[in-house]
Amino acid sequence: MNLRDRVALNIQELRRARGLSQEELAHRADVSRGHMGKVENAKFAASLDLLERIARALNVDPEELFTKR
């Protein structure tokens, strides 16, 4: 599994564990829902700035997005 796939899966799992819709997470991270969908489906390589906003929106340390599960 490459890093982009791992990050995408971790974002999905963390979002679902918190009961958030993709739209709600996108709103909290200040990004469009379509863009968030592409990040979660590993179709877009997110910038570090966006990953930091996503982590903040999920209330986790950014390194959680990279953790092997």
Side-chain angles (χ1 to χ4, degrees):
M1 175 179 295
N2 67 37
L3 187 57
R4 187 187 303 181
D5 291 333
R6 181 181 301 162
V7 168
L9 257 166
N10 286 341
I11 291 171
Q12 285 178 21
E13 288 179 9
L14 290 164
R15 175 181 60 77
R16 289 177 179 153
R18 283 153 179 74
L20 296 173
S21 68
Q22 203 174 65
E23 187 172 355
E24 178 62 24
L25 177 58
H27 175 74
R28 291 180 182 195
D30 194 29
V31 65
S32 73
R33 200 228 37 93
H35 195 80
M36 184 61 71
K38 289 178 183 175
V39 171
E40 281 196 11
N41 290 307
K43 295 183 180 185
F44 180 80
S47 70
L48 291 175
D49 291 338
L50 176 55
L51 291 175
E52 187 173 44
R53 291 196 321 261
I54 292 170
R56 195 175 316 120
L58 291 168
N59 199 32
V60 297
D61 192 283
E63 74 181 41
E64 284 290 313
L65 302 182
F66 299 94
T67 302
K68 191 172 186 178
R69 297 183 193 273

